[in-house]
Structure formats: C-alpha cells, structure tokens
Amino acid sequence: ERDSRILVLNNSYRATIEITEAASKLSGFLEVPETYKAIPVIRHGKKVQVIKKENQSAIAEEIAKQVSKAQEEKYKSIAIVCKNKQESQTYAKLLEDQMCERGGVAPSLLTGREDAYTGGVVVLPAYLVKGLEFDVVFIADAGSHNYQVNSIDARLLYVSMTRPLHRLYIYYSGELSGLLS
C-alpha cells in the first residue's frame, strides 16, 4: 500500500475578498466542511451590491445602466446570470431593448450549444456558469421565489457568485432569498 493524503487547495485567487466573503456565507447551506472553505487572497474590490427592484423590467433597466458603466470602465467580460433557461430568455429580450435604447449592443444569450465564449456581454442560466469567469457578474433575480433554501439552489447561487473577478451585483424582486438574508 502507498501512503496517500489529501491536499486541499482553498486559496481563492479569482475574486476579491468582498466577493469571496459574500459567497462564503452560503457555505452553511452547502454542507462544506470548514477545511474546504475558500480563503481569499489579499485583493480588495468594491462591496457586493444587493439591490431590490419592483419587477423584471426595473431589474433589466438597472442592469443595462450598470453594464454601460462597466463597459466605460473597460471591463470586457460581463455576465447576467439567471436561474434557468426561461428566465435567461426573458432577460435577454428585456436587456436587448434596454441596451439598444442606450446605443449599446444587445447581449448574447448563451444556451450551452456554443463552442466557446469569446467575451462581451452575455445572458445565461446559472447551470452553465461553472468553469467560466467574468470581470463583472449580475445575478438577475435572487428573490425567494427563485432561490429556495435548499442545497441545489445554494449551489447554483454559490457558483454564480464566485464567477466574477472584480464586481458582483445581486438583484431581486419581492423578498430576498433566505440563502442571502
């Protein structure tokens, strides 16, 4: 028999301390042992924004404004993460209208059939974000009607929250998910 041991690589170099700490709050719902929790490296950024809006249209309008600002600040990869395929299609249409009104380019809708992600602004469901990273991430609706307090929704939200390198915005309508409150 060979001697073996488990080495845990838990230093997080992707996200800022603020993003990593916000996502780590979900670890209680993920049944993750303390030794496996992410430890952020010393890289500070802006505080994670959690913003309540009345409905999907208001959320899309605010995201469109923030996407324009992020692009002005030279961020190249921007994702709007939705709970599922249907919500992604809804937000892609709402954002197309909002962004084109502002003279911008409509976001691309990722469905999982693409060969590669080449940058720009994309709308995609949470189940497709694993393994990707973006400069800025907008979670479109983290309301309690979308993300229930269970391990599956906690994983989807956790993975979505750990995709940004620099900025994370979490929008919701109604009540904020119990996973985040």
Side-chain angles (χ1 to χ4, degrees):
E1 279 185 42
R2 293 183 177 173
D3 282 338
S4 61
R5 60 186 171 150
I6 295 174
L7 298 175
V8 179
L9 304 174
N10 53 359
N11 283 352
S12 173
Y13 294 94
R14 174 187 292 130
T16 63
I17 289 172
E18 292 77 9
I19 292 169
T20 302
E21 286 177 351
S24 292
K25 291 178 184 175
L26 290 172
S27 62
F29 299 102
L30 299 173
E31 301 165 10
V32 176
E34 192 68 34
T35 55
Y36 290 101
K37 290 185 180 175
I39 300 168
V41 296
I42 306 298
R43 184 169 74 85
H44 281 283
K46 287 195 173 189
K47 183 179 174 191
V48 173
Q49 301 292 308
V50 180
I51 303 153
K52 182 176 183 172
K53 291 291 178 182
E54 308 79 54
N55 54 41
Q56 288 179 328
S57 294
I59 290 171
E61 182 178 346
E62 184 63 26
I63 289 174
K65 287 179 193 174
Q66 293 302 326
V67 165
S68 293
K69 287 181 183 178
Q71 289 172 321
E72 288 170 10
E73 293 176 30
K74 305 297 185 218
Y75 289 116
K76 304 258 186 257
S77 59
I78 300 170
I80 297 92
V81 180
C82 302
K83 172 76 185 279
N84 54 40
K85 179 181 175 182
Q86 185 177 17
E87 187 180 69
S88 297
Q89 292 168 335
T90 299
Y91 274 99
K93 179 63 179 140
L94 289 168
L95 287 162
E96 177 181 354
D97 296 342
Q98 290 287 337
M99 292 170 74
C100 289
E101 281 178 19
R102 289 179 161 64
V105 176
S108 300
L109 174 62
L110 296 186
T111 62
R113 292 187 211 110
E114 297 79 13
D115 291 330
Y117 167 64
T118 57
V121 181
V122 295
V123 178
L124 72 166
Y127 59 83
L128 290 179
V129 300
K130 189 170 177 115
L132 299 175
E133 64 181 35
F134 304 93
D135 291 326
V136 181
V137 168
F138 298 91
I139 295 176
D141 194 344
S144 60
H145 58 277
N146 244 1
Y147 291 93
Q148 307 296 313
V149 178
N150 61 53
S151 62
I152 293 171
D153 283 356
R155 285 187 196 285
L156 284 173
L157 204 48
Y158 178 82
V159 171
S160 298
M161 290 175 69
T162 58
R163 301 301 94 199
L165 296 168
H166 306 290
R167 300 226 180 118
L168 174 61
Y169 297 84
I170 301 171
Y171 290 90
Y172 70 101
S173 60
E175 294 297 317
L176 183 62
S177 170
L179 295 167
L180 297 171
S181 54

